[in-house]
Amino acid sequence: MTINDIIRKSARMSAVGSDALALTPIHLPGLMAFEAAARLLNFAKAAAELGVTPTAMSRTIKILEGQLSVRLFNRTTRSVGLTEAGTALNASIAPALASIRGALAQVSHGADRPSGLLRINLSYVAYRILVEPHVDAFFAAFPAINLEISLDNQLSDIVSAGFDAGIRLGRKVQNDMVAVQLGGVQRRVVLVAPNYFRERSCPERIEDLLEHDCIRQRYSFGGRLFDWKFQVGSQMVHIDVQGRLIFDDMHSVVDAAVRGAGIAFAYEDFVRQEIAAGSLERILMEDSASDDAFHIYYPHRSHMPGKLRAFVDFMKDANHLASLEQRGSGKGARSSGTAVE
């Protein structure tokens, strides 16, 4: 008897009406119990392997035999053997169940050795400050993880777009998300190219900015212009600066400032390279504005994917270490934060 014979016989026995043929549903636990008993030829050992009682194992096999309307085992008080039908069934399902076990083991193993494609949505500012400096080290630590980086200044719905996580300012993260802070509060500083002052005087007070071309930034979501606010003592002072250039991303603001097009107001962490190269310099050194800290966020899950846990922990630790190194170098750096404008 072959497995096809078993199925045809079961179908005939469970027919409803004159022409209808319906195979009684066979649940996976029943097949797993059968495979274990067939492999071990011992109901007690099979029951122990599956974590059930011998009585439950015997009952499950009887139910399966009843559903198929065939005897699968020849049982005596001393031995257990497969019938012809049982041998045919075991030959067909054993490889499939082994494949299922292998797949489950691989998924479980992935929690200890993270692997797979990880999709992250963030702005260019966030990427440059928090992720880009540490990508090579991350790949070295987790060679089985691939990163797909989506640079986007919009507040994308990471769930519907299929991303594993996003990075945004803390106040812009939805309340139903898990959010982990990366670094400290970001600080905006006033920046200008050295050649900008060839025919202009350098501002000595923040009020002097009203007499200069300032490069404005507009939020890409909402359309509101970013406020030039400064903490002066215990007060917050707002300067309604003017300028001929407005961009919707900080990268373009900084590039325009490097060309001498005007004065910029940007995250200090974002412009460290330009300051170090001398293409931009800070002015009004005592005046700055604190923004929010940046967070990596992701949906609530009962089991967090190993690849995401690896990324979150690694980037959090890497940016904390970078912050300590910057402080030790005397550059006045704060802990780097994830930036999304």
Side-chain angles (χ1 to χ4, degrees):
M1 180 178 294
T2 67
I3 184 61
N4 290 331
D5 295 329
I6 298 173
I7 294 174
R8 283 194 294 269
K9 181 177 180 181
S10 178
R12 287 194 300 271
M13 295 297 295
S14 58
V16 178
S18 59
D19 296 324
L21 291 178
L23 182 64
T24 302
I26 306 298
H27 297 294
L28 182 61
L31 295 177
M32 293 180 66
F34 164 76
E35 188 277 335
R39 174 165 37 85
L40 299 172
L41 294 179
N42 186 299
F43 277 30
K45 291 181 179 180
E49 180 179 289
L50 297 180
V52 299
T53 65
T55 300
M57 171 65 68
S58 180
R59 185 185 305 114
T60 299
I61 296 301
K62 286 182 179 179
I63 291 174
L64 181 62
E65 289 178 327
Q67 291 174 323
L68 295 175
S69 299
V70 293
R71 177 177 291 277
L72 300 174
F73 292 95
N74 291 317
R75 284 163 283 183
T76 68
T77 56
R78 295 184 179 182
S79 64
V80 175
L82 285 168
T83 64
E84 180 184 0
T87 299
L89 180 61
N90 187 53
S92 296
I93 69 169
L97 291 177
S99 178
I100 292 173
R101 292 192 190 96
L104 295 175
Q106 184 176 8
V107 171
S108 177
H109 185 62
D112 298 324
R113 297 187 60 184
S115 62
L117 177 63
L118 184 67
R119 303 184 71 229
I120 306 294
N121 176 267
L122 68 170
S123 73
Y124 177 74
V125 175
Y127 177 70
R128 178 167 170 174
I129 293 177
L130 294 178
V131 178
E132 184 180 41
H134 311 298
V135 167
D136 291 343
F138 178 78
F139 282 156
F142 300 98
I145 296 180
N146 297 326
L147 277 179
E148 180 177 333
I149 303 295
S150 175
L151 302 181
D152 179 7
N153 288 330
Q154 302 292 330
L155 283 177
S156 300
D157 184 342
I158 61 171
V159 175
S160 63
F163 293 105
D164 295 286
I167 300 176
R168 292 289 184 268
L169 287 169
R171 66 175 180 270
K172 296 183 176 69
V173 175
Q174 296 99 323
N175 292 332
D176 60 347
M177 293 286 174
V178 178
V180 178
Q181 183 172 328
L182 295 182
V185 172
Q186 290 294 308
R187 181 172 62 172
R188 293 232 183 190
V189 294
V190 184
L191 302 145
V192 67
N195 62 2
Y196 176 81
F197 292 120
R198 289 176 182 173
E199 300 179 358
R200 302 175 178 88
S201 60
C202 181
E204 296 181 359
R205 302 174 304 170
I206 56 176
E207 292 85 349
D208 296 338
L209 292 171
L210 294 172
E211 302 175 5
H212 290 267
D213 287 327
C214 294
I215 307 169
R216 306 299 304 274
Q217 181 180 344
R218 188 185 299 278
Y219 288 110
S220 55
F221 45 91
R224 183 173 63 85
L225 287 170
F226 187 87
D227 293 326
W228 288 45
K229 292 181 178 180
F230 300 88
Q231 186 70 40
V232 180
S234 61
Q235 295 184 334
M236 185 67 70
V237 178
H238 171 253
I239 304 296
D240 188 16
V241 298
Q242 300 299 313
R244 302 173 65 186
L245 275 176
I246 300 175
F247 294 98
D248 66 355
D249 73 286
M250 192 178 293
H251 188 199
S252 299
V253 170
V254 171
D255 284 348
V258 169
R259 296 194 303 269
I263 298 176
F265 197 41
Y267 291 132
E268 185 180 29
D269 285 342
F270 184 66
V271 294
R272 292 193 183 280
Q273 296 178 21
E274 287 78 7
I275 293 175
S279 56
L280 286 177
E281 58 186 32
R282 280 197 58 186
I283 60 174
L284 301 171
M285 296 287 289
E286 296 181 358
D287 298 302
S288 63
S290 295
D291 208 329
D292 203 347
F294 292 90
H295 294 67
I296 182 167
Y297 65 99
Y298 46 90
H300 286 276
R301 294 189 178 99
S302 56
H303 298 287
M304 186 176 181
K307 59 185 178 182
L308 179 56
R309 170 57 62 193
F311 184 82
V312 171
D313 291 345
F314 184 91
M315 291 300 167
K316 182 179 178 181
D317 292 343
N319 281 283
H320 177 68
L321 180 60
S323 170
L324 296 178
E325 292 175 347
Q326 287 169 353
R327 290 174 184 172
S329 67
K331 295 181 180 179
R334 303 167 337 285
S335 54
S336 297
T338 305
V340 156
E341 305 159 311

